[in-house]
């Protein structure tokens, strides 16, 4: 009997029962990802800077862009960044429902931003100013569309985290994920400010 107990005790363990996630490794890895994304947008901005005035006898930015609509769209994304900040404050208070509320508001602002951007794309294409019309429009649709694609993935990520927080609460894993999404969301705000200034304002007023 005792020999059997000794044999069971001496069985090798092939897994760790304790937490083995290296501290701060996720945040470091996510910072590296954001830096790679910065390079992608830097290339797109540089491309637009080179070909942004090649209109191929087509419409110029002043003929196409509605700055009032773009200003509203910019406000939606900036408001979403503020509401995400409120969500993070509620997370620090360990207030689950309040965190979910502000995350939901953030998602609504993000969805409005995407809707206005899609409306702008539809309007431009309907007017014959599609991405194949000129080098300027090709670079414009690529740059703005890439940013919009990032916002789309951000909203999907946001909804996924809301489900996780609702199910498992504000545990350390969900807090870490919310911090990563926070960096991603604010990063998209910074990129959009560059798009608004460099593409829209300079295009119309320059």
């Amino acid at each position: 009997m005792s020999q059997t107990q000794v044999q069971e005790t001496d069985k090798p363990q092939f897994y760790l029962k304790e937490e083995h996630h290296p501290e701060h490794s996720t945040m470091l890895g996510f910072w590296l990802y954001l830096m790679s994304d910065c390079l992608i947008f830097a290339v797109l901005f540089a491309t637009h800077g080179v070909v942004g005035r090649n209109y191929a006898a087509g419409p110029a930015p002043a003929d196409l862009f509605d700055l009032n609509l773009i200003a509203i769209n910019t406000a939606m994304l900036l408001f979403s960044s503020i509401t995400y900040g409120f969500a993070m404050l509620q997370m620090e208070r360990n207030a689950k429902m309040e965190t979910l509320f502000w995350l939901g508001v953030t998602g609504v602002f993000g969805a409005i931003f995407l809707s206005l951007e899609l409306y702008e794309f539809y309007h431009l294409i309907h007017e014959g100013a599609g991405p194949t019309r000129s080098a300027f429009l090709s670079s414009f649709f690529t740059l703005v569309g890439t940013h919009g694609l990032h916002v789309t993935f951000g909203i999907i990520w946001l909804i996924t985290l809301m489900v996780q927080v609702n199910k498992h609460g504000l545990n350390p894993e969900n807090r870490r994920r919310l911090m990563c999404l926070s960096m991603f969301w604010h990063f998209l705000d910074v990129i959009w400010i560059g798009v608004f200034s460099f593409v829209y304002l300079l295009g119309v007023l320059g």
Side-chain angles (χ1 to χ4, degrees), residues 175-194:
R175 288 173 179 267
R176 185 170 62 242
R177 293 160 186 158
L178 287 170
M179 284 294 297
C180 288
L181 180 55
S182 174
M183 291 193 299
F184 181 75
W185 202 266
H186 294 309
F187 166 76
L188 294 181
D189 266 16
V190 173
I191 295 298
W192 181 255
I193 291 173

Side-chain angles (χ1 to χ4, degrees), residues 45-64:
F45 274 111
T47 302
H48 188 77
V50 172
V51 303
R53 294 188 179 276
N54 295 346
Y55 307 132
D63 305 317
L64 297 173

